[in-house]
Amino acid sequence: EVQLVQSGAEVKKPGESLKISCKGSGYSFTTYWIGWVRQMPGKGLEWMGIIYPGDSDTRYSPSFQGQVTISADRSITTAYLQWSSLKASDTAMYYCARSREAGMLHRSFDSWGQGTLVTVSS
Amino acid sequence: EIVLTQSPGTLSLSPGERATLSCRASQSVSGSKLAWYQQKPGQAPRLLIYGASSRATGIPDRFSGSGSGTDFTLTISRLEPEDFAVYYCQQYDSSPRTFGQGTKVEIK
């Protein structure tokens, strides 16, 4: 069974750094693209970026380029989303999700993590 | 960037009725690289339809997708109580992979 298990909720202050995780299991982690999606409170879904764990090829949405860093550690089948300096506007639920087909970038997301709620408040 | 516009914003229907949701793209989505997702409160999105018309694994056949180019439709033939949720379309043809703003299907 394909599973993506995300790290727990975080409460941070503006200016702090943060790295959240998404552990994949039940499939060949290195051969499927994994993406990150933001959902601000009461709002819709926003595609942030995507990584291919096999070679760490990473693509970002222009809206998030330079604001976050996406990475992956193949040895522990885990993808990451990190911030160097959080803002209050980063408060949101963040989901990781797997591309539906191995090796293919232009595919929908067929498996999703449960989400990580990030709250940034002074 | 391809902008996806979903309509209506909210659809008020009764169980057993037919739901028709629209997703219009600002430019052509090649290869019908369009998906539909369902999201219930407090849950992650779930893939319903990919390739504009292919049902994902385990999705009941009351869900169907159609369309090409710039106009796409999700149809729920007979609404079940568990179908009341928010539905998003997404294009994965070009970067960034944009989502529509969502259509809420609520109980009338």
Side-chain angles (χ1 to χ4, degrees):
Chain A
E1 178 197 5
V2 175
Q3 280 197 306
L4 297 174
V5 178
Q6 297 185 229
S7 49
E10 301 274 2
V11 179
K12 291 288 189 179
K13 291 181 168 33
E16 292 187 329
S17 63
L18 176 63
K19 192 173 189 177
I20 62 175
S21 67
C22 169
K23 182 172 176 60
S25 63
Y27 71 99
S28 176
F29 181 76
T30 56
T31 60
Y32 286 79
W33 291 81
I34 289 186
W36 288 93
V37 175
R38 183 175 79 173
Q39 187 166 39
M40 299 178 77
K43 301 299 184 183
L45 305 173
E46 299 174 90
W47 190 88
M48 302 176 71
I50 197 165
I51 187 166
Y52 189 70
D55 61 6
S56 293
D57 184 5
T58 308
R59 319 289 174 89
Y60 292 94
S61 165
S63 298
F64 293 94
Q65 180 86 47
Q67 308 305 308
V68 297
T69 301
I70 294 171
S71 61
D73 185 335
R74 292 174 291 178
S75 68
I76 55 172
T77 67
T78 300
Y80 300 98
L81 178 65
Q82 69 180 88
W83 296 259
S84 59
S85 181
L86 286 160
K87 302 185 281 286
S89 58
D90 293 317
T91 295
M93 181 71 82
Y94 293 88
Y95 294 101
C96 63
R98 190 196 77 160
S99 274
R100 189 180 60 79
E101 194 171 336
M104 305 304 288
L105 174 59
H106 296 273
R107 292 295 183 267
S108 52
F109 291 137
D110 70 341
S111 295
W112 292 68
Q114 82 278 17
T116 296
L117 180 62
V118 174
T119 303
V120 184
S121 174
S122 54
Chain B
E1 172 175 322
I2 296 178
V3 177
L4 299 179
T5 302
Q6 292 187 238
S7 61
T10 302
L11 202 49
S12 299
L13 295 168
S14 301
E17 289 194 294
R18 181 185 189 89
T20 303
L21 288 66
S22 173
C23 176
R24 179 160 291 177
S26 60
Q27 58 195 80
S28 183
V29 177
S30 65
S32 294
K33 290 186 174 69
L34 187 113
W36 290 92
Y37 300 88
Q38 177 194 67
Q39 187 178 34
K40 297 179 182 179
Q43 295 186 17
R46 176 174 73 143
L47 177 65
L48 299 175
I49 301 287
Y50 63 92
S53 60
S54 297
R55 270 187 302 277
T57 303
I59 302 303
D61 60 8
R62 64 180 180 272
F63 291 93
S64 63
S66 63
S68 63
T70 60
D71 287 294
F72 299 88
T73 301
L74 174 70
T75 302
I76 311 171
S77 58
R78 286 176 55 85
L79 282 164
E80 297 287 340
E82 62 268 27
D83 299 336
F84 292 93
V86 180
Y87 293 83
Y88 295 95
C89 58
Q90 182 210 15
Q91 65 81 21
Y92 48 95
D93 175 33
S94 64
S95 275
R97 315 276 193 268
T98 45
F99 289 91
Q101 82 280 16
T103 289
K104 182 179 182 180
V105 179
E106 65 176 22
I107 299 177
K108 187 174 182 180

